[in-house]
Amino acid sequence: MSEAIQWVRSLIFMIIIYAWMLVLGLVFAPYALFSKKGASQACRTYARSTMWLARWMVGIRCEVRGSPPSGEVVIGAKHQSFLDIIMIFAAIPHGKFIMKRELLWTPIIGMYARRLGCIPVNRGKKGVAVAKMVKDVAKEFAEPGQLVIYPQGTRVAPGSYKPYKVGTAVLYEGLGFPCVPVATNAGVFWPRTGIMRKPGLAIVDFLEPIESGVQRDEFLVRLEDVIETRSNELMREVGFDPDEAH
């Protein structure tokens, strides 16, 4: 019975947060159309209110650890669910995301993504996509910010593995910024698919930066090692063993 109640609470929660996204998007639209600050304020309001609702409605507490960067960096983050996106965005002052191009045509989300300076990528043409991504990012960084990229390229369920792609290393080299790895266990409680949201402590952990200038192969090995090791530790901390998940 308790699981059924949690499922119903989860369903209501999901309906509310997407309705709230629409409401905020429309309310802030006149401001956001002419101001990146307006777009950022709308998205930050949404992120913080969603985390508050998650705690109140489905029992997910959100905790940020480490030192979120405020300067120009590349953030290479573990991506398990929508929750880690909003937690990271709420923690940094000027977040910009590498995102799949299709999202630009999504109502509300697409407009705000453009105003925030997010960089769209065409997944179907990998070589062209990476080259264009570097060019677009260099242009966008005429204004300071923190560029968030997901090195595995997509959401990965807790306990699953996908290889780390070269795009993060190419950006790291091309921009000449340090890279801040970010680990998470958010997918344990807010899975990438389905309705059910489980109560518990969702964590994103900003780890020690990888200094600029590290050779590409070494950089990718270091990035994957620190993110995967720490994410596994965070999952075990809340009682989920990634080695037994699959």
Side-chain angles (χ1 to χ4, degrees):
M1 179 62 72
S2 59
E3 185 170 332
I5 293 172
Q6 184 68 19
W7 189 92
V8 171
R9 291 169 67 94
S10 299
L11 177 62
I12 296 171
F13 168 71
M14 296 301 290
I15 293 171
I16 288 174
I17 65 169
Y18 285 111
W20 182 229
M21 180 187 293
L22 177 61
V23 170
L24 274 181
L26 294 174
V27 168
F28 276 88
Y31 185 18
L33 279 171
F34 300 101
S35 168
K36 286 190 175 184
K37 182 179 179 180
S40 178
Q41 185 177 340
C43 295
R44 203 166 301 282
T45 299
Y46 178 76
R48 290 171 176 168
S49 57
T50 298
M51 289 188 290
W52 180 83
L53 285 168
R55 179 172 187 141
W56 178 65
M57 294 190 69
V58 292
I60 299 177
R61 294 170 289 124
C62 297
E63 180 178 308
V64 174
R65 296 180 182 175
S67 300
S70 57
E72 292 184 319
V73 296
V74 174
I75 294 177
K78 183 73 173 177
H79 187 23
Q80 294 182 342
S81 80
F82 180 52
L83 180 58
D84 55 68
I85 294 177
I86 64 175
M87 290 177 69
I88 290 171
F89 183 79
I92 56 180
H94 302 291
K96 311 175 185 186
F97 291 79
I98 300 294
M99 58 184 287
K100 58 184 180 181
R101 182 171 296 277
E102 294 82 355
L103 288 175
L104 285 181
W105 310 114
T106 304
I108 305 298
I109 293 175
M111 185 196 79
Y112 281 90
R114 287 188 181 93
R115 297 302 295 146
L116 289 174
C118 295
I119 312 298
V121 174
N122 186 345
R123 288 182 175 180
K125 300 179 179 179
K126 294 183 179 178
V128 175
V130 170
K132 187 175 187 307
M133 179 172 65
V134 174
K135 181 179 178 181
D136 290 347
V137 168
K139 179 180 178 182
E140 182 59 40
F141 267 84
E143 298 181 18
Q146 299 80 46
L147 180 70
V148 183
I149 184 170
Y150 297 107
Q152 291 169 293
T154 188
R155 292 171 296 175
V156 180
S160 296
Y161 175 76
K162 284 187 179 292
Y164 279 51
K165 298 181 178 182
V166 72
T168 305
V170 173
L171 281 177
Y172 163 81
E173 286 181 345
L175 292 173
F177 298 156
C179 178
V180 176
V182 177
T184 190
N185 66 0
V188 174
F189 310 104
W190 186 318
R192 64 194 182 102
T193 59
I195 298 297
M196 182 66 124
R197 302 294 179 259
K198 301 175 182 177
L201 180 62
I203 303 164
V204 294
D205 194 356
F206 289 84
L207 308 174
E208 287 297 315
I210 298 174
E211 67 278 11
S212 59
V214 176
Q215 193 268 341
R216 181 181 296 187
D217 291 341
E218 180 187 347
F219 167 78
L220 281 174
V221 169
R222 285 176 60 180
L223 183 70
E224 178 171 348
D225 181 62
V226 295
I227 291 177
E228 292 300 308
T229 299
R230 184 57 180 152
S231 293
N232 288 341
E233 290 173 353
L234 294 176
M235 287 186 276
R236 292 189 180 99
E237 180 180 327
V238 296
F240 180 92
D241 189 344
D243 295 328
E244 296 179 357
H246 296 278

